[in-house]
Amino acid sequence: MTYNPEFVPGSDMILIIRLAKKWIQNKATIKEIYEMIFLIDHYHELDLPYILWGFPDDSLIDFETRDLCFEAPYYINKSKEVNTEIIFQQGLKVWSEYYG
């Protein structure tokens, strides 16, 4: 994960870093992975492909590759059961926490 040590992180950035560390260590739940992606991409509108995978969003040549950048974090640890229904349910929880 790309991180600038000169940047003084706020509470959201500290949460993103904590969630990313759990994800990297294969300890994140589906909800935590969704929240990490949500915070990076939607809430802060940052370049998720660059932050997680090291290449800028504008370098992606097609939508399938871009979509894979958002789907792949769930499949890093294949020991967890992952399907779109579980991701959707956990996503609803995250959205309700941030937007009531």
Side-chain angles (χ1 to χ4, degrees), residues 30-31 34-35 38 74 84-100:
I30 299 300
K31 182 180 180 282
Y34 189 97
E35 186 173 12
F38 168 83
Y74 298 103
T84 55
E85 184 60 31
I86 292 171
I87 294 170
F88 178 75
Q89 290 171 358
Q90 297 306 310
L92 288 177
K93 290 178 185 178
V94 170
W95 279 83
S96 67
E97 287 175 13
Y98 284 86
Y99 294 113

Side-chain angles (χ1 to χ4, degrees), residues 53-68:
W53 309 113
F55 51 89
D57 189 41
D58 59 1
S59 71
L60 302 174
I61 57 173
D62 58 45
F63 289 112
E64 288 179 15
T65 305
R66 186 176 191 288
D67 290 347
L68 184 58

Side-chain angles (χ1 to χ4, degrees), residues 12-24:
D12 284 346
M13 187 57 68
I14 290 169
L15 178 57
I16 290 171
I17 292 167
R18 184 181 64 79
L19 292 170
K21 284 179 181 178
K22 284 185 79 172
W23 170 66
I24 290 167

